[in-house]
Amino acid sequence: MQRLLFEAAWEKTIDARDREEIEKVFEQVKEMKESRQSFFILSQARNHRNDLLVTVLIQNGLETDWVLCGGKLTYYEANKLIATEVFSDKRLIVPAKCSMPWTFIFPESSVQQEPNFKKGTLQMFSQR
């Protein structure tokens, strides 16, 4: 059974309405196939620096922790490559059988095509 957890910084700063929305989404998607890791996109946006922000619910259905630090993440829309970046935040570890929200920030320089924020998906490629 999946459980929802928030990284410590999220736990301290998340707005109550945002937390409630994430909890609703988690309830809808928590019954995932065993032995599966996935990303469920919650939102996409641009920030004041024109970086691409992709907020997801990371789901780890495995019996082992999922270490995302050092992995190359690629954002697609309608099967078209939009942005690619290697993420090195050491907090990017999702414990076994857990789901955790996270916002990936793709610097403007990593964006290869202008996003339209429709039909977005993320794929992870291990750098190890």
Side-chain angles (χ1 to χ4, degrees):
M1 176 78 139
Q2 286 290 108
R3 65 184 177 94
L4 178 62
L5 76 102
F6 292 84
E7 189 274 329
W10 278 66
E11 191 70 58
K12 292 177 186 174
T13 61
I14 191 167
D15 178 77
R17 283 175 280 167
D18 290 340
R19 182 185 192 99
E20 185 176 304
E21 186 61 33
I22 290 169
E23 288 170 349
K24 283 181 189 175
V25 170
F26 172 73
E27 287 302 318
Q28 294 171 358
V29 300
K30 72 179 179 182
E31 297 303 323
M32 58 187 284
K33 291 181 181 177
E34 293 297 315
S35 301
R36 186 166 172 223
Q37 298 167 320
S38 62
F39 301 99
F40 184 83
I41 294 182
L42 300 170
S43 67
Q44 308 102 318
R46 290 281 202 162
N47 67 10
H48 64 283
R49 290 188 307 261
N50 211 29
D51 299 331
L52 174 62
L53 311 177
V54 180
T55 301
V56 297
L57 185 63
I58 304 169
Q59 297 180 286
N60 180 8
L62 300 181
E63 298 290 338
T64 58
D65 293 353
W66 187 10
V67 179
L68 289 91
C69 180
K72 181 171 87 171
L73 199 60
T74 304
Y75 175 69
Y76 295 90
E77 288 181 349
N79 296 317
K80 292 182 182 174
L81 175 65
I82 303 297
T84 298
E85 183 69 18
V86 174
F87 291 91
S88 58
D89 192 322
K90 297 201 183 304
R91 298 173 297 166
L92 279 170
I93 299 173
V94 181
K97 302 290 185 185
C98 286
S99 296
M100 184 172 79
W102 194 267
T103 298
F104 291 100
I105 301 172
F106 292 86
E108 182 181 21
S109 62
S110 72
V111 177
Q112 300 172 23
Q113 185 172 328
E114 191 58 35
N116 63 14
F117 307 122
K118 296 179 183 174
K119 298 183 182 178
T121 60
L122 287 178
Q123 284 189 313
M124 180 93 180
F125 300 96
S126 178
Q127 294 291 96
R128 295 167 198 231

